[in-house]
Amino acid sequence: RFKHMIEPFKGVGSKYLDNYLAWNGFDMNHIGVNKLDIKDKLVAAIHSIGEFSTYKEVFGKPALPFSVSE
């Protein structure tokens, strides 16, 4: 099933392998779901986790105040 899922891609980077596996697991848990409804299901899953940050919010925050010792 996983091989079939990644066939359309020209290559799968091992850096993103966790994402592909999570996508495959999500797809297996939602067999028969209309692909247009998947976005709503993903958003609902994210909101059920709790608080989350966007990319812009994370990179807009100042650096943590760690002391630098030499």
Side-chain angles (χ1 to χ4, degrees):
R1 180 171 169 85
F2 181 70
K3 284 183 182 181
H4 177 70
M5 185 193 84
I6 61 173
E7 275 178 7
F9 300 101
K10 294 186 191 292
V12 176
S14 59
K15 177 180 177 180
Y16 301 108
L17 188 57
D18 287 345
N19 295 340
Y20 288 111
L21 292 172
W23 177 15
N24 187 51
F26 181 84
D27 200 32
M28 287 181 64
N29 288 333
H30 298 89
I31 294 174
V33 173
N34 183 342
K35 297 297 180 187
L36 298 175
D37 295 331
I38 291 227
K39 178 183 174 187
D40 295 333
K41 296 216 176 268
L42 284 171
V43 169
I46 289 170
H47 285 292
S48 72
I49 292 171
E51 207 171 302
F52 59 93
S53 299
T54 64
Y55 171 85
K56 289 182 180 181
E57 290 171 343
V58 170
F59 285 96
K61 291 182 180 179
L64 294 175
F66 292 118
S67 61
V68 179
S69 56
E70 296 179 27

